[in-house]
Amino acid sequence: MKLFSNGLRIPASARLVEVLIARALLTPYEHLDGYMLRYWLVKPSRWTRWLGVRVHCILRSDLDRDMHTHPWWNITWVLRNPYQELMPAKRGDPDAILGGFANLDEPFRIRDRKPGALVFRRADSRHKLLLHNGPVWTLFIHGRGNQDGDWGYYVPSLGRVVDRRLYRPRGAQE
């Protein structure tokens, strides 16, 4: 294990990555058409209701204008191909970016997530993914859901998270 400024890094052998992906491909979950293929390794059950483990194949960058949250705490282990993660910048962060290529309405920072990176997130942590080198494979571990078990998009002009079912990207036709 090696600790970088971007977090913990646990490199995986190519063989381990192949085994994890091959096993996961046997148990598909609900795919997100054109965005992400999802597969179970450990499905929450009577014995593991507080834990789920999936393998994700992320096919493209997040296209939504705003950052999204998740319904549970989660840990991502990057297995194959790097990506960049955009997250809200902390107040006074000298590396904060506003607008630009990400088209976000809130200051953000960028973290490079390379294979082996281990990323810990709270359910209310918001982020956005940028892919540059084709599909990204990750091991995604999640815990119990938040109170309503849902997630959404943080809209800076409203100062709150909007439920994913109610979210309309700015510029979308009414």
Side-chain angles (χ1 to χ4, degrees):
M1 288 191 292
K2 189 170 183 183
L3 189 60
F4 290 103
S5 61
N6 280 348
L8 193 61
R9 188 167 184 275
I10 303 175
S13 71
R15 176 71 182 135
L16 176 59
V17 170
E18 292 302 322
V19 167
L20 288 171
I21 292 172
R23 169 57 186 89
L25 291 175
L26 300 174
T27 51
Y29 179 51
E30 299 169 6
H31 297 320
L32 303 174
D33 192 35
Y35 172 59
M36 184 184 300
L37 305 176
R38 304 183 299 178
Y39 305 91
W40 285 113
L41 277 180
V42 177
K43 192 172 183 176
S45 69
R46 179 176 169 204
W47 307 109
T48 62
R49 63 181 149 228
W50 55 272
L51 178 74
V53 182
R54 297 193 302 231
V55 169
H56 289 171
C57 179
I58 307 164
L59 303 172
R60 64 163 170 80
S61 298
D62 289 341
L63 299 179
D64 302 298
R65 181 167 180 146
D66 299 300
M67 294 184 201
H68 67 271
T69 61
H70 288 273
W72 359 250
W73 61 262
N74 60 85
I75 301 168
T76 297
W77 187 26
V78 183
L79 300 174
R80 188 183 289 158
N81 275 347
Y83 68 93
Q84 290 183 311
E85 183 173 17
L86 281 56
M87 299 170 293
K90 293 181 173 38
R91 191 177 306 271
D93 184 341
D95 297 324
I97 302 167
L98 180 60
F101 69 92
N103 201 23
L104 291 170
D105 287 341
E106 65 177 312
F108 64 92
R109 57 194 165 113
I110 300 173
R111 291 290 179 258
D112 293 321
R113 305 299 188 193
K114 298 178 181 172
L118 200 58
V119 184
F120 299 82
R121 292 184 205 88
R122 296 179 352 189
D124 61 353
S125 296
R126 57 190 190 266
H127 69 145
K128 184 174 181 171
L129 307 180
L130 294 179
L131 278 60
H132 302 289
N133 299 316
V136 172
W137 288 85
T138 65
L139 182 75
F140 186 79
I141 302 167
H142 67 81
R144 293 187 75 162
N146 57 27
Q147 228 174 3
D148 62 2
D150 224 335
W151 59 275
Y153 295 88
Y154 180 80
V155 179
S157 61
L158 299 175
R160 65 180 177 84
V161 173
V162 173
D163 183 285
R164 67 180 168 84
R165 294 168 295 221
L166 304 174
Y167 177 76
R168 293 191 58 82
R170 284 162 279 178
Q173 293 184 0
E174 294 299 322

